[in-house]
Amino acid sequence: MAYKLNDKQIRALLKQGKPGHHNVARGLYFRISNEGTGFWSVKYTIMKRRREMSIGRFPELSLADANLKSLQIAAEVRQGIDPLEERERESNGSFQIIDNLAEDWLKDCHKRLKHPKIPQRVYRKEIAPIIGKMALVSVKPLDVRRILNLIVDSNRPTIANDTLGYLKQMFRHGIKLGLLESNPAEAFSYTDAGGVEKSRSRALSFDEIKTTFKILRDNTDQFVPQNYLALCLLLSLGIRKEELVAAKWKEFDLDKQTWHLTKERTKTGAEITIPLSSNCVMWLNTLKVLAFGSEFVFPNRRASKRSAHMSHDTLNAAVNKQFNLGNLSVEHFTIHDLRRTCRSLLAEIGTPSHIAERCVNHKIKGVEGIYDRYDYFDERKKALKKLSTRLEIFI
């Protein structure tokens, strides 16, 4: 077969490195990218659609071999086979185990969820260790039950419910891609996981705060200063744990005693500037020393590929350890309960409801929330300062 370009001419073009698209034979093209890489591509028409696919790099794939591939593709097209679609279908063969399916599902979560790290964390901690390396078609409902039972037995009903929901989503994703024919988690309900969840109402009293924080101070060998100061800030500001552990120093102006959270960093999607009491500034200055130059207020104390800041699970694990050791004598509480405690204490010290709601960065509901765009910064500053003064003797 006669070529429009021979091997010597192709090498000369590649040496010049000028980006271009050169016809070599019927349907076969030699392309030079902007980076100077030479590769082969084949153009064809199927179902009235003009398509192009790359088939290999030069010189790894020779002119003769590229032409042979081009002829094979032309034969497939004549039979009504679209080589690009076949290649994509074959790439799905990489979905061999659950980890492969999860990776694709989590990419989808990143596109559509505001907080995609939540299902990512649940998969990594709760699902992957049990079924991550299992073949797609080998996972059975008994495996799902095993995952849920392990979580329920560890007394984490909310996580059990979340895990069940994510399992169902992940397997539905597999069905959508044609990788699975059934969903092994579909028959399970929340009664098989954590049950119907009741809204938590736990809030610590001033006496409980005094007892708890004294015990934590007395156990610094088990409850490190960074964890203690994190709890002080959470209780004093009513912020969300996720907002605190991922905080960067550039968000703070300690001279003006403010912390600015952008809309990307808040759950509500609205930015807010948080006034800081003198005590909060003092704790942050201590944390700055403990951060050893990190851009994060709470740098990860272990090398991690996932993030350079403290894990979202660290504080809950540290507090739970104190309960498990029998050091804490108060009724069990979670880290999120400190946020509820802050809101309750603000009410107890006489803070108007709408200001207390803005202190914990809740959206004001109803018509008032739609028309009232005033941020109550001065009022929040006064309320949080009053709360900080009240808490000073306890923490």
Side-chain angles (χ1 to χ4, degrees):
M1 175 179 182
Y3 299 119
K4 297 180 181 179
L5 292 174
N6 59 34
D7 189 78
K8 184 177 180 180
Q9 291 170 319
I10 289 170
R11 290 181 183 276
L13 287 169
L14 184 59
K15 188 174 181 180
Q16 292 174 11
K18 183 179 179 180
H21 202 167
H22 308 278
N23 185 214
V24 177
R26 185 175 181 181
L28 177 64
Y29 291 82
F30 179 67
R31 301 189 65 176
I32 300 176
S33 69
N34 292 331
E35 293 76 26
T37 302
F39 61 96
W40 304 103
S41 69
V42 174
K43 289 186 177 182
Y44 62 92
T45 301
I46 188 167
M47 301 294 290
K48 297 183 179 180
R49 288 190 301 167
R50 188 67 172 160
R51 312 206 69 183
E52 182 175 3
M53 67 182 292
S54 60
I55 58 174
R57 293 178 57 174
F58 178 84
E60 288 88 343
L61 185 67
S62 68
L63 171 58
D65 289 339
N67 185 60
L68 179 60
K69 277 196 172 185
S70 174
L71 294 173
Q72 291 170 342
I73 288 171
E76 290 178 357
V77 171
R78 285 195 294 271
Q79 297 173 35
I81 299 171
D82 188 335
L84 273 175
E85 289 188 1
E86 286 300 306
R87 177 184 286 181
E88 185 176 348
R89 187 175 292 113
E90 287 174 6
S91 71
N92 285 339
S94 62
F95 289 87
Q96 300 295 324
I97 60 176
I98 295 297
D99 277 347
N100 302 144
L101 172 62
E103 182 181 0
D104 195 77
W105 167 64
L106 289 169
K107 285 180 183 177
D108 184 64
C109 290
H110 274 273
K111 295 176 185 176
R112 59 185 175 82
L113 298 182
K114 184 178 179 181
H115 300 287
K117 289 187 176 180
I118 297 175
Q120 183 177 350
R121 186 168 66 248
V122 170
Y123 179 79
R124 173 176 51 82
K125 289 193 64 179
E126 315 298 344
I127 301 172
I130 310 301
I131 63 172
K133 303 304 179 186
M134 293 178 64
L136 287 178
V137 295
S138 68
V139 177
K140 306 298 181 188
L142 281 173
D143 299 306
V144 173
R145 189 177 72 168
R146 181 186 172 201
I147 293 170
L148 297 178
N149 285 347
L150 285 171
I151 303 172
V152 171
D153 290 346
S154 66
N155 195 29
R156 294 176 295 152
T158 300
I159 299 298
N161 285 339
D162 290 346
T163 301
L164 175 58
Y166 292 138
L167 280 166
K168 289 184 176 184
Q169 288 182 35
M170 182 179 70
F171 290 126
R172 286 171 189 157
H173 186 75
I175 293 172
K176 181 172 67 176
L177 296 180
L179 302 170
L180 296 171
E181 294 184 358
S182 62
N183 187 333
E186 197 63 53
F188 291 85
S189 67
Y190 290 125
T191 58
D192 301 304
V196 178
E197 297 179 41
K198 297 179 181 179
S199 298
R200 287 186 63 85
S201 58
R202 177 78 169 105
L204 282 70
S205 66
F206 279 114
D207 286 341
E208 287 180 313
I209 293 169
K210 180 179 180 179
T211 300
T212 297
F213 279 76
K214 181 181 184 306
I215 291 170
L216 297 180
R217 285 195 302 272
D218 292 343
N219 287 275
T220 53
D221 56 330
Q222 299 168 342
F223 202 84
V224 298
Q226 291 93 327
N227 292 346
Y228 180 84
L229 294 174
L231 264 60
C232 291
L233 289 166
L234 289 166
L235 183 61
S236 300
L237 298 175
I239 48 179
R240 295 174 176 86
K241 175 187 66 176
E242 293 77 10
E243 295 166 349
L244 181 64
V245 298
K248 294 183 177 181
W249 288 112
K250 67 179 182 181
E251 298 172 354
F252 294 86
D253 188 329
L254 297 184
D255 292 330
K256 293 183 180 179
Q257 299 188 196
T258 57
W259 175 15
H260 184 73
L261 282 172
T262 62
K263 62 182 181 180
E264 293 79 17
R265 288 266 289 115
T266 64
K267 185 177 180 180
T268 60
E271 65 178 26
I272 187 171
T273 298
I274 302 168
L276 302 171
S277 68
S278 297
N279 284 332
C280 290
V281 172
M282 177 183 67
W283 296 327
L284 286 163
N285 278 321
T286 302
L287 285 165
K288 203 159 197 174
V289 175
L290 296 173
F292 293 106
S294 171
E295 65 174 324
F296 290 101
V297 178
F298 294 94
N300 201 327
R301 296 190 287 274
R302 298 178 181 177
S304 172
K305 294 181 180 179
R306 292 189 297 274
S307 77
H309 61 73
M310 177 191 286
S311 167
H312 292 77
D313 305 316
T314 297
L315 294 176
N316 274 322
V319 170
N320 286 336
K321 182 178 180 180
Q322 294 302 303
F323 276 109
N324 294 335
L325 291 172
N327 293 337
L328 291 175
S329 56
V330 300
E331 180 188 343
H332 187 274
F333 66 88
T334 67
I335 295 300
H336 190 73
D337 292 334
L338 296 179
R339 177 171 161 82
R340 187 179 301 104
T341 299
C342 176
R343 175 63 179 84
S344 299
L345 295 181
L346 284 168
E348 189 172 332
I349 62 175
T351 307
S353 178
H354 63 288
I355 295 173
E357 285 292 280
R358 290 303 298 139
C359 282
V360 295
N361 199 15
H362 278 161
K363 287 184 177 179
I364 299 175
K365 298 179 180 179
V367 175
E368 184 181 6
I370 296 172
Y371 290 100
D372 189 351
R373 296 306 182 193
Y374 179 58
D375 201 34
Y376 298 99
F377 179 85
D378 292 334
E379 293 85 348
R380 288 188 287 116
K381 181 178 180 179
K382 181 179 178 181
L384 291 174
K385 181 179 179 180
K386 185 176 180 180
L387 176 61
S388 180
T389 301
R390 183 70 190 276
L391 289 169
E392 193 172 18
I393 60 174
F394 301 131
I395 61 176

